[in-house]
């Protein structure tokens, strides 16, 4: 089995003027997160399993998404290096999401492709009643 491949999707510190989130607990991340602008959904379960649908991972020179990842996998909070990140592993690919706060609300975000291009995907938690959110299937 090959080692997990890390995708380059980290956001710049202080992205969008939002402060980085500190002291994030797993219980604050459990649920379904969605970004309409980049057509991505991420479901984080209490047992550490995850389901991703359409998470963008790269763009072309015009900012159009050229690669996405979907499937089932795992998630964890990475607290190394002083900042906290959400690491989601789908099919041996680790995608690291930055964690921000906006008016007390947690945001899960990533930069797609080259950080200088400023192509962002910001996911917000969906209400528990949002049961029609797409989920990934086992492939």
């Amino acid at each position: 089995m090959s080692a997990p491949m890390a995708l380059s999707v980290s956001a710049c510190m202080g992205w969008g003027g939002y402060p980085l989130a500190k002291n994030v607990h797993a219980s604050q991340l459990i649920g379904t997160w969605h970004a309409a602008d980049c057509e991505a959904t991420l479901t984080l379960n209490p047992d550490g399993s995850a389901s991703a649908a359409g998470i963008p991972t790269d763009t072309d020179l015009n900012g159009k998404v050229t690669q996405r990842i979907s499937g089932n996998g795992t998630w964890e909070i990475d607290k190394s290096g002083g900042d906290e990140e959400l690491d989601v592993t789908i099919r041996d690919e680790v995608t690291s999401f930055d964690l921000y706060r906006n008016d007390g609300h947690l945001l899960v975000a990533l930069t797609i492709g080259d950080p200088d291009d400023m192509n962002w995907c910001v996911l917000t938690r969906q209400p528990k009643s949002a049961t029609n959110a797409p989920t990934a299937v086992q492939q």
Side-chain angles (χ1 to χ4, degrees):
M1 180 174 212
S2 63
M5 178 180 77
L7 298 175
S8 175
V9 290
S10 63
C12 297
M13 188 171 191
W15 163 89
Y18 300 120
L20 290 169
K22 302 284 185 200
N23 303 314
V24 177
H25 300 281
S27 62
Q28 296 173 287
L29 292 169
I30 294 168
T32 298
W33 298 79
H34 182 72
D37 290 347
C38 55
E39 301 174 11
T41 300
L42 179 64
T43 300
L44 306 174
N45 300 308
D47 65 357
S49 64
S51 176
I55 303 297
T57 59
D58 206 1
T59 61
D60 63 16
L61 295 175
N62 296 317
K64 181 179 177 192
V65 174
T66 58
Q67 294 179 357
R68 294 180 179 271
I69 190 164
S70 297
N72 297 308
T74 60
W75 70 276
E76 66 181 356
I77 298 173
D78 179 2
K79 295 185 180 191
S80 63
D83 293 330
E84 297 177 38
E85 293 180 339
L86 168 64
D87 288 346
V88 177
T89 304
I90 305 291
R91 291 192 312 266
D92 293 333
E93 292 187 37
V94 178
T95 302
S96 294
F97 295 83
D98 290 303
L99 302 172
Y100 297 96
R101 292 210 187 270
N102 180 26
D103 294 329
H105 297 284
L106 203 55
L107 301 174
V108 174
L110 67 136
T111 300
I112 311 157
D114 184 343
D116 291 335
D117 292 339
M118 300 175 18
N119 292 315
W120 295 305
C121 182
V122 181
L123 295 93
T124 57
R125 188 186 342 235
Q126 299 301 290
K128 293 185 192 251
S129 62
T131 57
N132 60 348
T135 58
V137 294
Q138 188 76 26
Q139 295 186 15

